[in-house]
Amino acid sequence: MIEITKTNIEKAINKARQTKPFVKVIEFRRYQVTNKTTGATYEVKFTKINNTKYAECNCKATVICYHIGASIGAHIVLAEQMQTANG
Ligand SMILES: [Zn+2]
C-alpha cells in the first residue's frame, strides 16, 4: 500500500489523462483498469486508515501509478454518493 499525497496523485492523474485507460468499478474501493492500447488489465484498491488514504495496484510500479490516477476520479464520485446515501 502506498500513501496518497496531493503531489503523487496529481502526477498519476496527469499521466492517466494522457493514457486514458478504461476504468471499471468492481465494487466500492476496487477498480479494474485496462490499457486500451495493450489490453493489460490491473486491479486498484483504495483504503482509508485514520483519515489517511492509501492505494495499491497489482502492476509492477511501486509508486502511485496512472492506474490509481485513473481510478481515483470514479472513486471520489462513488465515495461522495455513499456519504450522501449514509447521511
Ligand atoms: Zn498500476
Side-chain angles (χ1 to χ4, degrees), residues 20-24 32-37 39-42 67:
K20 297 187 177 64
F22 179 73
V23 180
K24 189 181 149 195
Q32 198 180 71
V33 183
T34 306
N35 182 312
K36 286 177 192 164
T37 313
T41 299
Y42 299 101
H67 306 115

Side-chain angles (χ1 to χ4, degrees), residues 5-46:
T5 67
K6 205 172 173 285
T7 316
N8 67 15
I9 199 66
E10 263 175 22
K11 261 193 197 169
I13 290 169
N14 282 338
K15 198 165 176 208
R17 281 201 186 115
Q18 290 161 23
T19 320
K20 297 187 177 64
F22 179 73
V23 180
K24 189 181 149 195
V25 179
I26 301 169
E27 59 181 36
F28 182 56
R29 291 188 167 145
R30 279 182 68 204
Y31 305 89
Q32 198 180 71
V33 183
T34 306
N35 182 312
K36 286 177 192 164
T37 313
T38 64
T41 299
Y42 299 101
E43 195 176 315
V44 172
K45 281 182 213 166
F46 291 101

Side-chain angles (χ1 to χ4, degrees), residues 57 59 65 67:
C57 177
C59 74
C65 61
H67 306 115

